[in-house]
Amino acid sequence: MDRDAWNDLAIFAAIAEAGGFTKAGVVLGVSASALSHRMRRMEARMGVRLLNRTTRSVGMTEAGESLLASLRPAMGEIDAALTLLGSDRARPAGRVRVSAHRSAAFGLILPRLNRFADDYPEITVEVVVDDGLVDIVRAGLDAGIRRLPSLEQDMVSVRLDDGVHVTMAASPAYLLAHGVPQTPRDLKRHRCINYRLPTAGSLYRWTFERDGQTTTMDVPSSLVTNDIDMLCEAAAAGLGVACILEPQAAPWLASGALVSVLDAWRPRLPPNYLYYAGRRNLPPALRLFIDAMKRPLHD
C-alpha cells in the first residue's frame, strides 16, 4: 500500500472519530474543505461511499462503519508499538554487536563492561573477536574497532587511545643459547616467530623506530602463526624472538618468561578507533555503548 493510501485511511479515521470535517481539521491542522476533497478522492478511488454528508453533519455509511471497525484494531496496534518504542528510548535495551581485534577486545572493551552492565543491565554487548578486517555493514554488526590505517571508508570514527608500543621479546633460555640481538640487523641471524595477517594473508613486516627514523624489514621464520596467544607461548617456549604488542607481552615480561630486546627500537602502532555507519538515528543501545567507550578507563 502506498503512502497516500495510508494517509487517507488515517484521515478517514480521524474524521469518523471527530464526527465531522471541521473538528477533524482542528486536530489535524488542515482545513475542512481540504479534508472533504481528500475523502471524495479516496471514495472515487475505492469505488464506494464512506461518508454521508449534509450541510450540517457528516455520518458514516455502512461501508464506512465496516472499514472503521477493521481499522481500529490495526491502529491500536500501531499506537501500542509507538508507545513501546518510546518506552525503549526511555529504558535502554537491546543488543550491540561489535567487531574488534584481540588486543582491543581485551584492552579497550572488556575493562569497560562491568560499569556498562551495571548502568544498562538490559543491553547485551556481543564482541566478535577477529584480527582481520571486517565489513561491519555486510556482517550485520553495529560497530568495529581497528587501527587508523585499517578504518573502513565512509564511517564515523572515535579515537580510543594513543596507540601502543610493540615489544621484541624472547625467553631467557633462548637468549642464553643464541645471544641477545643488539640491532635489528642482528635478527637476520636469529630464529624469529612471525605473525600472519588474517586479512592480507602476508607476514607482518617488523618495524623499528629510533631517533625519528623508521625501518621495516623481513625476518627469518622459525615458526609462523596467525594466533597471538600461540605467538607468546612459542616465544616463552624458547622457539625464537617474537614481535608482540606491549599489553599482550606485559604479563609474560612481568613473570620473567620473556625478556624484551631491542628496546631502543620499539615502534608505536597507530591509535585504535571505534567506527560505525552514520551519525543520525543511532539505536539508543549503540549510542550508549559509544559514549561508554569514550570514557577514560579509570574515571
Side-chain angles (χ1 to χ4, degrees):
M1 184 178 291
D2 60 33
R3 184 186 305 175
D4 284 344
W6 280 113
N7 288 341
D8 285 346
L9 289 173
I11 289 171
F12 164 73
I15 294 169
E17 296 292 347
F21 295 114
T22 301
K23 292 181 179 179
V26 172
V27 173
L28 299 175
V30 182
S31 68
S33 60
L35 292 180
S36 178
H37 175 74
R38 189 72 176 257
M39 284 297 95
R40 289 189 185 281
R41 189 178 65 179
M42 177 183 176
E43 289 171 330
R45 186 177 66 250
M46 297 178 65
V48 62
R49 177 179 290 184
L50 301 173
L51 299 172
N52 288 318
R53 306 162 178 83
T54 68
T55 55
R56 292 187 174 185
S57 64
V58 174
M60 283 187 293
T61 64
E62 183 178 352
E65 291 278 8
S66 177
L67 177 59
L68 183 62
S70 299
L71 285 177
R72 277 176 173 150
M75 296 182 73
E77 290 181 7
I78 292 172
D79 286 341
L82 292 174
T83 299
L84 180 61
L85 181 61
S87 173
D88 286 344
R89 288 198 299 267
R91 187 186 63 192
R95 182 179 66 165
V96 179
R97 301 187 71 220
V98 185
S99 168
H101 57 88
R102 183 175 296 271
S103 62
F106 285 89
L108 296 174
I109 298 178
L110 192 58
R112 292 176 167 91
L113 286 187
N114 270 336
R115 177 173 174 180
F116 189 82
D118 288 341
D119 291 344
Y120 310 109
E122 295 184 46
I123 296 178
T124 299
V125 178
E126 180 176 344
V127 182
V128 180
V129 180
D130 191 334
D131 288 335
L133 300 182
V134 177
D135 183 336
I136 61 172
V137 175
R138 183 183 297 273
L141 301 166
D142 298 298
I145 298 179
R146 291 296 182 275
R147 301 192 185 280
L148 180 58
S150 303
L151 288 182
E152 297 181 13
Q153 295 181 351
D154 304 323
M155 291 284 163
V156 179
S157 62
V158 178
R159 182 170 172 164
L160 299 180
D161 62 13
D162 296 323
V164 296
H165 280 107
V166 172
T167 295
M168 278 62 72
S171 72
Y174 174 87
L175 296 175
L176 182 63
H178 299 275
V180 179
Q182 300 300 312
T183 71
R185 290 293 171 189
D186 292 343
L187 292 174
K188 293 290 187 179
R189 300 188 299 272
H190 277 266
R191 301 174 184 172
C192 296
I193 305 168
N194 269 308
Y195 179 71
R196 188 171 297 281
L197 299 168
T199 301
S202 57
L203 296 182
Y204 170 75
R205 299 196 74 209
W206 292 30
T207 301
F208 307 90
E209 294 177 4
R210 187 174 186 181
D211 300 328
Q213 299 296 315
T214 301
T215 301
T216 302
M217 59 183 283
D218 296 317
V219 297
S221 300
S222 62
L223 174 68
V224 176
T225 180
N226 66 347
D227 184 82
I228 296 297
D229 292 336
M230 185 174 184
L231 192 76
C232 296
E233 293 279 0
L239 293 179
V241 182
C243 184
I244 309 170
L245 294 183
E246 191 174 61
Q248 294 165 331
W252 298 89
L253 296 172
S255 70
L258 292 177
V259 176
S260 65
V261 299
L262 301 173
D263 289 349
W265 279 270
R266 291 189 312 155
R268 178 181 285 275
L269 292 183
N272 281 293
Y273 283 76
L274 174 72
Y275 63 98
Y276 54 95
R279 290 183 181 274
R280 300 180 60 187
N281 299 323
L282 288 179
L286 175 58
R287 182 170 295 282
L288 290 169
F289 178 81
I290 293 169
D291 291 342
M293 292 300 297
K294 290 179 183 178
R295 291 198 293 264
L297 281 175
H298 305 292
D299 67 345

